[in-house]
Amino acid sequence: MQIDKSGTAQPQKQVKLRKLDSEAEPVDLAIVRLNGTSAVSDNQELMAQWQKAGILGRPEFGRVFPQDGARFLEELPYMYRSNYLWAEQVKP
């Protein structure tokens, strides 16, 4: 949780990257969340790829990187949206 200027705890924005396994069951591949002003992930391999190459979500926003923070999280569902690999926002 983050604390806003009023001292109230705010739910942390998170995106879950999921894929279908060999049994066609969804499994978590990564959880991406904000850490200060940057995005971080529990999947270090993906994080290294994103830091190096970024992602292309919607064309009007161009390439974004984890250090773009909230914008990066917002673009993940546009980058990963196939039937086998997708990103979804986690409800706080």
Side-chain angles (χ1 to χ4, degrees):
M1 292 242 189
Q2 291 184 348
I3 308 289
D4 69 12
K5 292 178 182 175
S6 70
T8 307
Q10 298 295 315
Q12 184 119 17
K13 188 176 205 178
Q14 292 186 5
V15 173
K16 191 181 289 188
L17 193 60
R18 306 189 86 201
K19 68 175 187 171
L20 292 182
D21 67 9
S22 60
E23 312 267 319
E25 292 294 324
V27 295
D28 293 347
L29 184 60
I31 294 184
V32 186
R33 62 177 176 77
L34 285 179
N35 183 15
T37 59
S38 294
V40 295
S41 174
D42 60 352
N43 184 315
Q44 295 306 311
E45 185 178 330
L46 278 174
M47 193 67 188
Q49 290 175 7
W50 293 331
Q51 287 175 329
K52 184 176 180 181
I55 63 168
L56 288 171
R58 294 173 283 188
E60 60 267 23
F61 294 110
R63 190 172 298 276
V64 291
F65 295 86
Q67 56 267 31
D68 294 321
R71 171 64 65 207
F72 183 81
L73 265 64
E74 291 170 11
E75 294 304 307
L76 282 169
Y78 295 97
M79 172 70 181
Y80 297 99
R81 57 181 178 172
S82 78
N83 291 332
Y84 304 99
L85 176 63
W86 67 96
E88 57 189 40
Q89 291 192 0
V90 177
K91 302 288 185 210

